[in-house]
Amino acid sequence: MAIYLNRGCGFGLWRFAHLGRAVIDSRSVSGYSHGDFANVIFLHHSTGRNLIEQGGVRERFAEAGYDFWDHDYTWPGLRRPDGSYTNYSYKIPDDNTDPDGLAGIFAQRVYGLPRNAFSGLLQHEVIAFKSCYPVSHIVNDEQLEEYKSYYLDMRDVMDQHPDRIFIVLTPPPLIPAVTDAEAAARARAFANWLTSDEYLSGHPNVFTFDFFDYLAEDGLILPDFNMLRAEYREGEDSHPNKTANEIIGPIFVDFIIDAVQEYRALYEPENAG
């Protein structure tokens, strides 16, 4: 059982304690990186947590010889490959993993120690990250273009780190009760753009896992087209259910392993030179 720091001790002290623990643990975390892109981290919230726990993600990575870390909300923070909590976080600003929050993380200054969120993530060789389902309620075309601009800014930063692999996850879809056909269509358009050559071509260390597509209804004539599939829903909740996670978890792991193998073939000759 993890023993968490008492946030009642004061926000400033709590942040300082997390920073101190992250810095002290830095050598251990970085020690999992051997240049073979087997040190993986996944930045997520509750949907990602369910995918990991119900989809056998950690176990499948371990079987393949990968060290899988994951970072939830700031509370409870970072988990080790064995699933135990480190009792600290990488201080994700405002716990914001919406496109603007992610872009803010990628805009942070890089330090040799995990003094901020991005420097913490860069201790790992493969960095997977996602926004949660509220992002899929895209109310107009202007918001869609704004989301794209954030991901273009992030891609510019990814280009500066060829010694890292970045795995973009498209945001999961919403249930019909909390969205509409127009917003859902824009969510589909956003996912399609993130997986397109327009976004990925010429950026060999950037890969997109289309989480949206695996979860969303694709029947054109159905009223929940582009929304969370009926078989993946539980009541009035946009979290994909256990059935979804059990199906998609292994696909997610295999996608990352395939991406690593593809990039190794490009990257290792550069190291040899």
Side-chain angles (χ1 to χ4, degrees):
M1 177 181 294
I3 301 174
Y4 298 118
L5 293 165
N6 181 4
R7 294 176 70 174
C9 66
F11 184 67
L13 181 59
W14 173 74
R15 285 176 59 89
F16 180 78
H18 273 243
L19 174 60
R21 287 176 181 266
V23 169
I24 291 170
D25 202 31
S26 178
R27 181 173 295 182
S28 173
V29 176
S30 299
Y32 283 81
S33 298
H34 305 290
D36 57 355
F37 301 103
N39 183 352
V40 181
I41 189 167
F42 179 27
L43 175 63
H44 61 84
H45 282 170
S46 53
T47 298
R49 185 192 321 135
N50 294 342
L51 181 68
I52 293 166
E53 295 177 354
Q54 297 173 353
V57 168
R58 193 179 309 280
E59 295 79 8
R60 194 173 182 90
F61 269 121
E63 291 170 1
Y66 286 70
D67 298 302
F68 176 75
W69 304 69
D70 74 286
H71 195 295
D72 207 310
Y73 289 97
T74 295
W75 203 260
L78 181 68
R79 282 195 293 185
R80 301 181 181 93
D82 64 3
S84 63
Y85 287 98
T86 61
N87 201 19
Y88 65 82
S89 81
Y90 286 154
K91 300 193 308 176
I92 307 302
D94 300 319
D95 264 333
N96 184 3
T97 58
D98 289 354
D100 63 323
L102 291 170
I105 291 170
F106 275 75
Q108 289 178 329
R109 179 178 176 180
V110 175
Y111 296 97
L113 291 171
R115 293 174 57 184
N116 58 31
F118 193 47
S119 298
L121 293 172
L122 286 174
Q123 294 183 116
H124 308 268
E125 297 170 302
V126 180
I127 302 164
F129 57 94
K130 61 173 285 296
S131 295
C132 208
Y133 53 77
V135 167
S136 288
H137 189 66
I138 304 177
V139 298
N140 52 45
D141 291 342
E142 289 74 21
Q143 186 177 31
L144 175 58
E145 292 306 312
E146 182 179 42
Y147 282 179
K148 289 181 179 181
S149 71
Y150 288 133
Y151 274 81
L152 289 172
D153 289 344
M154 285 188 275
R155 193 186 64 184
D156 288 343
V157 177
M158 297 178 213
D159 289 343
Q160 298 170 25
H161 297 277
D163 58 343
R164 297 293 184 269
I165 295 172
F166 297 90
I167 309 292
V168 179
L169 276 76
T170 56
L174 289 157
I175 61 171
V178 296
T179 191
D180 55 50
E182 291 76 18
R186 294 187 194 96
R188 171 75 73 176
F190 183 44
N192 288 346
W193 179 78
L194 283 171
T195 58
S196 70
D197 286 344
E198 181 182 353
Y199 187 70
L200 295 173
S201 182
H203 307 275
N205 65 329
V206 183
F207 299 83
T208 301
F209 180 73
D210 201 350
F211 197 33
F212 180 96
D213 188 59
Y214 284 111
L215 291 166
E217 176 57 60
D218 59 2
L220 283 168
I221 63 172
L222 296 178
D224 57 352
F225 179 48
N226 292 329
M227 303 174 197
L228 186 62
R229 293 172 182 262
E231 61 268 33
Y232 292 163
R233 300 200 296 259
E234 299 290 344
E236 299 300 304
D237 186 354
S238 288
H239 288 89
N241 62 18
K242 185 178 180 181
T243 298
N245 293 322
E246 288 176 343
I247 293 171
I248 298 172
I251 300 171
F252 173 59
V253 175
D254 290 348
F255 178 89
I256 292 180
I257 292 173
D258 289 346
V260 168
Q261 293 175 345
E262 178 180 332
Y263 192 61
R264 277 177 180 167
L266 296 174
Y267 183 79
E268 287 175 355
E270 293 182 9
N271 285 341

